[in-house]
Amino acid sequence: MTRPPTPDALLALQRRYYERARSLCAERAALHPAALAALDAHLALCDRAGTERRFTAALTSGGHATALARAEQHDRFAGEAAIARALGDAATAAAADRAALALAAPGDAA
């Protein structure tokens, strides 16, 4: 029977996930600026928290819980807008720009 990871091991696993995701995004940084900023913020949060319990509390109470997902979608919309502009489709580019702006809440890394 396998024991579940300890809380501190869970924080280490979460940190490794953020580090790996950041490394992958950094390979094509121009496509992932919002995700990179959000991942940096999450890594800093891991460092400040120090324990899984404090990390979870900070994540859920500080508005960070959805920041990474919003940042990733923001980058997708920005990419869609750039492609649409390159193809001369101003209406689609404008719609993608509006969608990206709608995802960015004040104080977010996105």
Side-chain angles (χ1 to χ4, degrees), residues 29-41:
L31 298 177
H32 305 286
L36 286 167
L39 286 161
D40 286 343

Side-chain angles (χ1 to χ4, degrees), residues 45-85:
L45 184 62
C46 283
D47 292 341
R48 282 193 313 272
T51 68
E52 185 271 338
R53 183 182 300 231
R54 287 197 300 259
F55 174 75
T56 300
L59 189 67
T60 56
S61 68
H64 299 279
T66 60
L68 185 54
R70 281 196 318 269
E72 291 167 345
Q73 186 60 49
H74 181 277
D75 288 341
R76 284 186 201 98
F77 285 139
E80 289 176 16
I83 291 167
R85 269 191 281 289

Side-chain angles (χ1 to χ4, degrees), residues 83-107:
I83 291 167
R85 269 191 281 289
L87 295 173
D89 187 346
T92 298
D97 286 336
R98 283 192 304 276
L101 285 174
L103 288 175

